[in-house]
């Protein structure tokens, strides 16, 4: 039993209840669905099962590089694309396929997402675009973007004025 009443019917909401077991989805009862959009949009974004929303990416800057880490469990490196556009945009994309259903199987819960995902990041001016490297290990994609050396500050020395 929840200590805090839910304002959204009988659902327990993690927004108001820190002891909730369910994650609150603000769009769960949203009146628009993928079927209410034009077919071009709904085919690209198949609703709640879309994986692009759940792709988490960390971006950290070290003295030598910008490092991106994306959690992509269950994907092989052949299913992921890492691209860089001319205007300094890093794009990580791919597709997670839906598992084939067998009519004799009884599904009790489907929580793993499927579909296309895409994340884009504008890289800073100091990024070395020609030296970007990517690797994938244990479902974690790591993209390393080396930084250009900063222009060394001119050595300024004071000049004694005579006279």
């Amino acid at each position: 039993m929840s200590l805090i009443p839910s304002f959204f019917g009988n659902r327990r909401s993690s927004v108001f209840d820190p002891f909730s077991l369910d994650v609150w989805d603000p769009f769960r009862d949203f009146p628009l669905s993928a079927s209410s959009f034009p077919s071009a949009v709904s085919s690209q974004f198949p609703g709640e099962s879309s994986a692009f929303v759940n792709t988490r990416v960390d971006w950290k800057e070290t003295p030598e590089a910008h490092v991106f880490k994306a959690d992509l469990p269950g994907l092989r490196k052949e299913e992921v694309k890492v691209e860089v556009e001319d205007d300094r945009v890093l794009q990580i994309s791919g597709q997670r396929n839906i598992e084939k259903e067998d009519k004799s199987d009884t599904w009790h819960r489907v929580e793993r997402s499927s579909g296309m995902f895409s994340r884009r990041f504008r890289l800073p001016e100091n990024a070395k675009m020609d030296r970007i490297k990517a690797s994938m290990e244990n479902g974690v994609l790591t993209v390393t973007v080396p930084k250009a050396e900063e222009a060394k500050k001119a050595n300024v020395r004071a000049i004694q004025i005579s006279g």
Side-chain angles (χ1 to χ4, degrees), residues 45-140:
F45 306 106
E48 284 187 25
S49 65
S50 180
F52 76 93
V53 175
N54 297 326
T55 304
R56 304 287 187 218
V57 179
D58 294 337
W59 176 1
K60 73 176 178 180
E61 182 176 356
T62 67
E64 299 83 27
H66 295 274
V67 180
F68 297 84
K69 289 192 176 208
D71 289 337
L72 303 171
L75 290 181
R76 297 184 317 273
K77 66 181 183 178
E78 297 81 20
E79 298 171 317
V80 178
K81 286 196 300 190
V82 177
E83 302 170 314
V84 178
E85 297 175 5
D86 291 334
D87 53 348
R88 300 179 131 8
V89 175
L90 173 70
Q91 178 170 318
I92 300 170
S93 62
Q95 183 165 355
R96 188 172 290 138
N97 295 321
I98 299 173
E99 232 180 89
K100 293 184 179 179
E101 282 188 42
D102 188 358
K103 297 295 181 192
S104 63
D105 292 342
T106 301
W107 290 81
H108 294 281
R109 185 176 288 267
V110 177
E111 294 183 343
R112 296 184 313 147
S113 55
S114 62
M116 293 177 57
F117 65 90
S118 178
R119 296 293 307 271
R120 295 167 55 101
F121 303 93
R122 180 161 307 279
L123 297 173
E125 292 293 324
N126 66 350
K128 286 186 178 179
M129 304 301 286
D130 56 337
R131 301 248 173 118
I132 297 175
K133 294 183 180 175
S135 64
M136 191 149 172
E137 186 175 335
N138 295 328
V140 178

Side-chain angles (χ1 to χ4, degrees), residues 136-148:
M136 191 149 172
E137 186 175 335
N138 295 328
V140 178
L141 173 70
T142 302
V143 179
T144 305
V145 182
K147 291 167 53 175

